[in-house]
Amino acid sequence: MDVHEFLQEYNQGRRDFHAVDLATVNLTGLDLSEIDLTEANLSKADLSGTNLRKAILQSTNLTQAKLLSSDLTQANLNEANLNDAKLSKACLRGAWIRNAYLLGANFTEASLVQADLSYSNLSYANFRYADLYLATLYAVNLRGAIFQDAVMPNGDVFRGEGKR
């Protein structure tokens, strides 16, 4: 499916786009709230400034995707691949990001308030100035992760490695 067909179908009311291939597309600044992109390929896609509130991105490939200043409030990113994704200034308040791959992801100045990152691989992720207040970081891999000036959940990280 090309990007024009995708946008046309979305604008006509379709929300279920399971396993669609939208790698490298530019979807900046769009309102894609409540879309279902389960198992989709969005690797290297540009979703900067996009509204993805309550989106279902479960098992979605977002490797090297740009999600700068995107709104992912209450999005389902369980088992998603966000390795090397750029999420600076993104809003992930209340998002489910369990069992996800976030190796090298950049969360600088992102809001992850009440997000659930349990069982995820956060190795080498950058959380500088991020807000993780009340976030759940149970059984996560934090090897090499950076938390400089980040707001941590009650000041504790549980069952993590490489706390900085």
Side-chain angles (χ1 to χ4, degrees):
M1 173 177 289
D2 68 27
V3 69
H4 300 293
E5 182 182 355
F6 166 76
L7 291 174
Q8 182 178 22
E9 289 188 26
Y10 183 85
N11 290 332
Q12 291 174 350
R14 179 177 170 193
R15 294 298 178 263
D16 184 350
F17 292 92
H18 279 77
V20 69
D21 187 355
L22 294 170
T24 72
V25 299
N26 183 341
L27 299 171
T28 58
L30 298 176
D31 182 354
L32 300 175
S33 56
E34 299 186 25
I35 194 167
D36 186 344
L37 290 163
T38 300
E39 298 179 356
N41 180 11
L42 292 164
S43 62
K44 298 183 182 179
D46 192 347
L47 296 145
S48 298
T50 300
N51 179 358
L52 292 161
R53 292 176 72 92
K54 297 184 180 180
I56 302 171
L57 299 160
Q58 187 164 338
S59 301
T60 299
N61 181 1
L62 290 155
T63 304
Q64 297 181 0
K66 291 180 185 174
L67 293 144
L68 308 168
S69 300
S70 291
D71 187 353
L72 291 145
T73 302
Q74 296 181 341
N76 178 344
L77 290 148
N78 290 335
E79 300 176 0
N81 184 341
L82 289 142
N83 288 343
D84 295 316
K86 294 166 183 62
L87 294 131
S88 295
K89 298 184 180 180
C91 183
L92 293 119
R93 295 177 70 90
W96 296 275
I97 316 169
R98 296 170 61 94
N99 297 305
Y101 300 93
L102 303 156
L103 184 76
N106 187 345
F107 291 95
T108 302
E109 296 183 59
S111 175
L112 292 126
V113 174
Q114 294 183 324
D116 186 352
L117 294 120
S118 297
Y119 306 102
S120 292
N121 185 349
L122 306 174
S123 297
Y124 306 101
N126 182 351
F127 292 95
R128 282 189 175 105
Y129 305 102
D131 188 351
L132 292 138
Y133 183 67
L134 297 177
T136 303
L137 297 173
Y138 180 78
V140 294
N141 182 345
L142 296 174
R143 173 180 281 172
I146 300 167
F147 290 96
Q148 179 181 342
D149 296 315
V151 177
M152 300 299 292
N154 300 327
D156 295 322
V157 176
F158 297 99
R159 295 189 188 221
E161 297 176 15
K163 179 180 175 185
R164 285 189 176 188

